[in-house]
Amino acid sequence: MPAALAALRSGRPVGVGALTILAVETAGDAMLALLDSDRTAPAVISHERAAALSLANEIAGASGAPVRVGRSDWLGADEVRALADPARDMNRFLAGPLEVAAAEPVEEAAAALLLCRLAGVLPAIWLVDAEVPVRVTPAEVVSAARRGRAEIVARARLPIAGLDQTQMVAFRAPDDGSEHVALMVGAPGGRPPLVRLHSECLTGDVFGSLKCDCGPQLHEALRLIAADGGGILLYLRQEGRGIGLANKLRAYALQDRGLDTVEANRRLGFPDDARDYALAAAMLRTLGFDRVRLLTNNPNKLAGLAAEGIEVVERVAHHLPANPHNADYLATKRKKSGHLV
């Protein structure tokens, strides 16, 4: 799987089942000239992106299915890139009608777009005909996205400001090679530990962005865990609710143009929240815990752990004050994503 992700990011073809694909975002003109010299390769975009372009309703019975866009004389590589990139939506209009249909086979097309998300690129692909050294199955892609296994690769004492008794445990997900960590604080004392599932947020955690509440949530969670006598913070590499850093910044740019956080993700072609908590459950089990008290306002985290056999014996609310830059974002999470109070 790491080889497939690297190939997609670098603009090289990858096989997904019987399909051979190129990422629209990263495939350059030279690669397209080599693999699509007659300019006939169709494109596939996600159902969410097609809906944002008012294309999905043209496909009867294809709810949720990826959408195939046929090529025509006027639909060149730049025009397909414009279809994939929402930054261009408000600046230009395509010149003619599009030939759209449900992408087939659906399972393989959906897995190919999922692979794009895992690679951190826009969910849009070219379908080409080529021999490729890297080919994965749809099941392998789904397994990698789920990250349902975790292996401890290193651990060490890590005293941090205000918390002396802390240890960091590094995990690797064998499905895709991604690395995640658990920060062990103090000792739970024989009862279910207080646990925080924190998704990586470079902008908030490191740079102190005011557009979200991630940085304050992270530091307050550590304070609460320490005050409770000990617990665990899982730091999960799921930037941007699972769409990656570059796509999160694209979503921010769309929010600057008036979309809310949910609308921006859909405009990009992604679901509202693409995270999965099977890896978090695997990390907890590896650490020896199957019962926890969860520090969260997100019902998806409660459901995600429960679905993986981790019993949440108590939900501990995690509220922080809003600021003028994130008030609408927090309100949208409550209204559209069902976040609890």
Side-chain angles (χ1 to χ4, degrees):
M1 188 58 61
L5 296 173
L8 210 59
R9 293 185 187 112
S10 62
R12 292 179 284 124
V14 176
V16 180
L19 301 180
T20 302
I21 68 169
L22 285 167
V24 167
E25 179 181 347
T26 57
D29 290 338
M31 183 62 73
L32 287 174
L34 179 65
L35 298 183
D36 184 33
S37 57
D38 57 0
R39 293 164 45 99
T40 60
V44 174
I45 59 177
S46 72
H47 181 81
E48 290 87 353
R49 181 64 182 146
L53 295 170
S54 299
L55 297 175
N57 58 359
E58 300 180 19
I59 306 170
S63 177
V67 173
R68 182 183 184 276
V69 180
R71 295 294 290 279
S72 57
D73 292 339
W74 63 269
L75 191 65
D78 283 343
E79 286 73 24
V80 173
R81 290 173 184 135
L83 277 179
D85 187 354
R88 308 192 195 188
D89 289 353
M90 302 172 192
N91 299 330
R92 59 188 292 184
F93 294 94
L94 294 173
L98 296 173
E99 297 180 5
V100 295
E104 295 180 348
V106 173
E107 180 186 15
E108 294 177 337
L113 295 179
L114 179 56
L115 190 67
C116 287
R117 176 174 71 76
L118 296 179
V121 300
L122 291 168
I125 56 174
W126 301 102
L127 299 180
V128 296
D129 185 12
E131 293 295 326
V132 290
V134 179
R135 189 170 292 278
V136 294
T137 67
E140 288 172 326
V141 177
V142 171
S143 177
R146 187 170 176 270
R147 293 170 175 163
R149 296 182 293 159
E151 300 171 351
I152 294 177
V153 294
R155 64 196 308 160
R157 190 175 68 86
L158 186 73
I160 59 178
L163 298 172
D164 292 335
Q165 300 301 315
T166 51
Q167 180 185 166
M168 182 166 281
V169 184
F171 289 82
R172 184 173 294 131
D175 292 315
D176 67 353
S178 60
E179 295 178 344
H180 312 256
V181 298
L183 189 66
M184 311 287 291
V185 179
R191 58 178 180 152
L194 184 60
V195 172
R196 169 71 182 167
L197 310 185
H198 189 88
S199 296
E200 177 184 42
C201 178
L202 177 69
T203 51
D205 299 341
V206 177
F207 296 113
S209 167
L210 298 176
K211 289 182 71 71
C212 64
D213 58 346
C214 299
Q217 278 190 333
L218 172 63
H219 296 291
E220 178 65 3
L222 290 175
R223 188 192 71 78
L224 291 171
I225 289 171
D228 195 64
I232 307 166
L233 185 137
L234 300 186
Y235 198 82
L236 307 168
R237 305 292 298 277
Q238 302 186 117
E239 183 83 47
R241 298 203 300 273
I243 66 175
L245 177 59
N247 288 319
K248 181 176 81 169
L249 294 180
R250 289 181 171 120
Y252 280 177
L254 292 173
Q255 290 170 37
D256 289 341
R257 304 184 77 159
L259 278 64
D260 67 33
T261 181
V262 169
E263 293 166 342
N265 271 29
R266 292 176 180 170
R267 192 88 196 177
L268 284 163
F270 296 108
D272 303 358
D273 190 334
R275 290 174 292 181
D276 186 283
Y277 297 104
L279 176 69
M283 292 168 70
L284 289 170
R285 279 195 298 270
T286 302
L287 292 170
F289 299 100
D290 58 10
R291 301 176 73 244
V292 301
R293 292 175 297 129
L294 194 62
L295 186 60
T296 189
N297 297 328
N298 186 347
N300 290 338
K301 293 181 179 180
L302 298 167
L305 288 185
E308 298 298 323
I310 301 295
E311 182 184 357
V312 179
V313 300
E314 179 187 1
R315 179 185 78 88
V316 179
H318 195 36
H319 292 293
L320 290 163
N323 68 61
H325 300 278
N326 69 15
D328 288 344
Y329 163 78
L330 297 177
T332 298
K333 288 205 297 184
R334 290 191 297 271
K335 181 179 179 181
K336 292 189 175 182
S337 300
H339 280 219
L340 305 167
V341 295

